[in-house]
């Protein structure tokens, strides 16, 4: 008598159950699509960077000025028309003159200098020089004149015969160079210097100073 197999345990049913179990056992869990990999801190190029911060321009700070302030470079004080070769020729009798820069103190928006010398002169000479300082007001100019007086050597009182026509200033003589410094209202100081051989008397320097002052 043949043995009968219960339908519940038919081979086909067992095979299906075994196949389903194998499929579930071999299927890996799905990774989250929103998971971001951790940055590689050992590689600087792999660390995320805020690109918006990179696009921000670096703030510029200028010493003694507010942050992000800009400083405009002002041109040097223009004194090119204050003393001309023709003025020196007229007062001192020299001819064939030219204008040169006065070396020493650099030109700024508040200071400049020049000198007038003989063209093609084989002997080194100083000629006639002009320096001009500009200040905020007359009080500042007066204070600076006192400081300049301490810096010059051979300072003398203005000759008595010229005091009535001279301004508020002083004269000085050193190394064959005569100088006359005077306050020129409203807010300038002018200094005229000349070789003693050219300016044989102080009146010549004072006359040149008056010419300069009239053109300020």
């Amino acid at each position: 008598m043949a043995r009968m197999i219960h339908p519940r345990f038919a081979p086909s049913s067992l095979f299906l159950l075994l196949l389903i179990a194998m499929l579930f056992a071999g299927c890996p869990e799905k990774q989250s699509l929103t998971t971001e990999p951790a940055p590689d801190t050992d590689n600087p190029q792999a660390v995320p960077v805020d690109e918006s911060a990179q696009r921000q321009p670096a703030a510029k700070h200028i010493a003694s000025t507010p942050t992000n302030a800009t400083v405009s470079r002002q041109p040097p004080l223009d004194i090119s028309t204050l003393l001309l070769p023709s003025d020196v020729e007229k007062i001192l009798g020299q001819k064939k003159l030219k204008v040169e820069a006065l070396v020493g103190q650099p030109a700024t928006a508040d200071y400049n200098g020049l000198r007038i010398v003989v063209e093609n002169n084989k002997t080194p000479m100083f000629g006639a020089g002009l320096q001009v300082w500009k200040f905020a007001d007359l009080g500042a100019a007066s204070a600076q004149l006192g400081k300049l007086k301490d810096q010059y050597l051979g300072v003398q009182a203005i000759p008595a015969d010229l005091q009535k026509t001279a301004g508020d200033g002083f004269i000085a003589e050193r190394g064959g160079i005569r100088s006359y410094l005077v306050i020129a209202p409203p807010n300038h100081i002018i200094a005229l210097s000349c070789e003693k051989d050219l300016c044989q008397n102080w009146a010549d320097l004072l006359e040149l100073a008056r010419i300069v002052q009239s053109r300020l």
Side-chain angles (χ1 to χ4, degrees):
M1 182 176 182
R3 189 177 62 177
M4 297 183 64
I5 300 175
H6 197 279
R8 184 179 177 182
F9 299 101
S12 58
S13 299
L14 292 174
F15 178 78
L16 289 175
L17 290 175
L18 181 61
L19 179 61
I20 293 173
M22 292 177 62
L23 288 175
F24 275 102
C27 182
E29 295 182 3
K30 296 183 179 180
Q31 294 182 350
S32 174
L33 298 178
T34 59
T35 303
E36 293 181 1
D40 183 6
T41 56
D42 294 334
N43 183 5
Q45 295 180 352
V47 179
V49 178
D50 185 357
E51 295 183 357
S52 62
Q54 287 186 326
R55 291 193 294 267
Q56 295 291 337
K60 297 180 180 179
H61 178 68
I62 302 173
S64 72
T65 62
T67 304
N68 292 335
T70 57
V71 177
S72 60
R73 182 178 179 86
Q74 296 179 335
L77 183 65
D78 185 10
I79 63 171
S80 59
T81 61
L82 299 183
L83 185 65
L84 306 175
S86 57
D87 301 323
V88 177
E89 180 179 343
K90 180 180 178 180
I91 303 299
L92 304 181
Q94 291 289 331
K95 296 183 178 181
K96 295 183 179 180
L97 303 172
K98 66 177 181 178
V99 178
E100 292 184 350
L102 185 65
V103 298
Q105 184 175 344
T108 67
D110 302 317
Y111 167 83
N112 209 341
L114 60 81
R115 68 184 187 127
I116 298 176
V117 297
V118 178
E119 291 183 357
N120 302 320
N121 190 41
K122 296 181 179 180
T123 303
M125 61 178 298
F126 176 80
L130 169 66
Q131 294 173 279
V132 181
W133 292 264
K134 183 180 180 180
F135 300 91
D137 51 48
L138 187 59
S142 299
Q144 183 62 26
L145 184 67
K147 295 178 181 179
L148 290 172
K149 190 174 183 178
D150 295 335
Q151 296 174 10
Y152 274 73
L153 300 176
V155 174
Q156 306 172 32
I158 295 175
D161 59 329
L162 299 174
Q163 287 181 0
K164 291 183 178 180
T165 58
D168 184 9
F170 63 89
I171 62 173
E173 183 175 342
R174 179 177 181 269
I177 303 295
R178 289 177 166 177
S179 300
Y180 172 50
L181 285 82
V182 62
I183 292 179
N187 56 348
H188 292 79
I189 292 177
I190 58 175
L192 271 298
S193 300
C194 186
E195 286 183 290
K196 188 176 181 179
D197 293 340
L198 294 178
C199 300
Q200 297 181 4
N201 58 76
W202 289 101
D204 294 335
L205 272 181
L206 269 67
E207 182 60 29
L208 291 175
R210 280 192 286 270
I211 293 173
V212 172
Q213 187 170 344
S214 67
R215 295 172 179 167
L216 282 172

